Amino acid sequence: MQITSPFFSFLFFFFWQLNILVDTGSSNFAVAGVPDPDVTSYFNPELSSTYRSQGIEVTVKYSQGSWTGVLGTDVITMPKGLYGSYTINIATILESENFFLPGVKWHGILGLAYDALAKPSSSVETFFDSLVKQAKIPNIFSLQMCGAGLPVSGSGTNGGSLVLGGIEPSLYTGDIWYTPIKEEWYYQVEILKLEVGGQNLQLDCREYNADKAIVDSGTTLLRLPEKVFSAVVQAIARTSLIQEFSSEFWTGTQLACWDRSEKPWSLFPKLSIYLRDENSSRSFRISILPQLYIQPILVIGDNLQCYRFGISSSTNALVIGATVMEGFYVIFDRAQRRVGFAVSPCAEADGAPVSEIEGPFTTADVASNCVSSVSFHEPVLWIASYALMSLCGIILLVLIVLLLIPPRCQHRYTDNDVVNDESSLVRHRWK
Ligand SMILES: *[C@@H]1O[C@H](CO)[C@@H](O)[C@H](O)[C@H]1NC(C)=O
């Protein structure tokens, strides 16, 4: 999960009357276990006869915020359809930093990514894996996030649905297009191309996947690798009909305001992301209209509506976050190792759709593989850091040895030797 600004989007669903952030970018299930100034209620394990503490401490860091808690297990009963009781891992949060933000009405997080990301190790079975095993539901869940074109309030999105174990036909229209999951940790996918207002950005497709492209419901915005971000901002600024824009709008530190009677959306271009199809010689594109990425956030006075830019830059990933996901019904088909996208009926503003899916397109114009084979995942980083550490050690050793060796070779200057460059040149010449 990544909280990139004080304003972020999430889904609510109810467990013991607690609101849980649904996060496809992490893999631990955790709830507040003690009172916190920023949470209105919490889970008290002492009141649960089925709770078992494992006494193992765990810390999870997100791109912003972190928490420390204790691992345990408890028995849950699921609402709607999944009748029965299931034993799942649950961490009770005892301490946190920038996690429960003021004014935010959620009390925990449900990490729905793969066990490779579970902390402290992948042996902590994830919530969804436990459910699939015990409830014998298909290994697939789907997520419809709603809120397109609606004001972003401090308390989150405007609702949505999480379907565990399948696909709900009423939550989408048209076809579902699937892209393969490249590696099972985050939901990592392969992006082939980006278009702004129908114009190809023309970057090397590896830039779009630097160093990974993931689908993450816990991230508020569409995040782009720095190079891609600046190309997109340039293209939007060029294509938009707006004379001049302060750079602070693009970096997210300033809002742009218009009279309430005039919506600014017609001034901005459509944004399209091409994903590789299951048939690797094909692709499809998901497009978001400005209603999704120019987001109303604040009203000033009687008639000024202010908007933020729903795209930000990232140093290590392209993240398809809530900004994009609000346009689609997204299917996490783990059984067939693929992520599906379909147009979502709640993705409309003023009666008009704000997202599109089209395909198939040929992939003849892009490389056969846009995901670099040397991906800097954590194990590789560890090896790299160990290698660097040993290198430092060797250099240190050499320096110590040099310091200990008596300076025999050093030339000792006497008064006669003190010459400036010019005179030494002259002397050489005369020799
Ligand atoms: C994959 O797509 C190509 C190009 O559209 C097509 O010629 C080929 O038959 C497809 N392969 C399969 C297995 O569907």
Side-chain angles (χ1 to χ4, degrees), residues 6-72:
F7 317 98
F8 51 89
S9 314
F10 48 84
L11 285 172
F12 291 128
F13 81 94
F14 295 89
F15 266 23
W16 311 284
Q17 319 295 315
L18 298 182
N19 300 322
I20 307 292
L21 169 65
V22 172
D23 181 24
T24 63
S26 69
S27 303
N28 282 79
F29 178 38
V31 295
V34 290
D36 181 289
D38 294 324
V39 293
T40 46
S41 53
Y42 66 97
F43 169 60
N44 185 349
E46 284 169 18
L47 300 181
S48 169
S49 60
T50 47
Y51 176 81
R52 300 280 174 273
S53 174
Q54 289 164 323
I56 300 168
E57 201 181 86
V58 57
T59 297
V60 178
K61 291 190 174 71
Y62 303 94
S63 72
Q64 245 183 46
S66 66
W67 55 258
T68 298
V70 174
L71 286 184

Side-chain angles (χ1 to χ4, degrees), residues 389-403:
M389 264 163 18
S390 352
L391 190 68
C392 286
I394 291 168
I395 290 173
L396 198 65
L397 207 66
V398 169
L399 285 176
I400 290 168
V401 168
L402 283 179
L403 278 174

Side-chain angles (χ1 to χ4, degrees), residues 220-294:
T220 312
L221 304 184
L222 167 60
R223 306 190 70 210
L224 302 173
E226 281 158 344
K227 242 187 191 172
V228 181
F229 178 76
S230 54
V232 164
V233 165
Q234 267 181 31
I236 293 178
R238 205 175 41 235
T239 326
S240 85
L241 306 169
I242 289 161
Q243 294 280 315
E244 220 171 281
F245 245 112
S246 74
S247 64
E248 280 79 21
F249 176 70
W250 305 117
T251 55
T253 50
Q254 212 173 69
L255 302 177
C257 308
W258 282 270
D259 194 275
R260 270 179 125 171
S261 59
E262 47 176 322
K263 295 269 163 72
W265 293 320
S266 59
L267 306 172
F268 290 90
K270 180 166 88 178
L271 197 73
S272 303
I273 300 171
Y274 286 73
L275 291 157
R276 192 173 305 272
D277 188 67
E278 288 183 282
N279 177 338
S280 66
S281 53
R282 291 179 178 173
S283 69
F284 64 94
R285 71 166 179 236
I286 58 174
S287 305
I288 57 169
L289 299 192
Q291 281 82 343
L292 283 170
Y293 72 82
I294 302 291

Side-chain angles (χ1 to χ4, degrees), residues 299-326:
V299 175
I300 296 180
D302 284 340
N303 44 19
L304 219 49
Q305 173 74 62
C306 300
Y307 298 79
R308 73 166 173 200
F309 187 44
I311 305 175
S312 69
S313 77
S314 155
T315 54
N316 59 1
L318 186 150
V319 186
I320 296 180
T323 290
V324 178
M325 289 181 74
E326 281 182 354

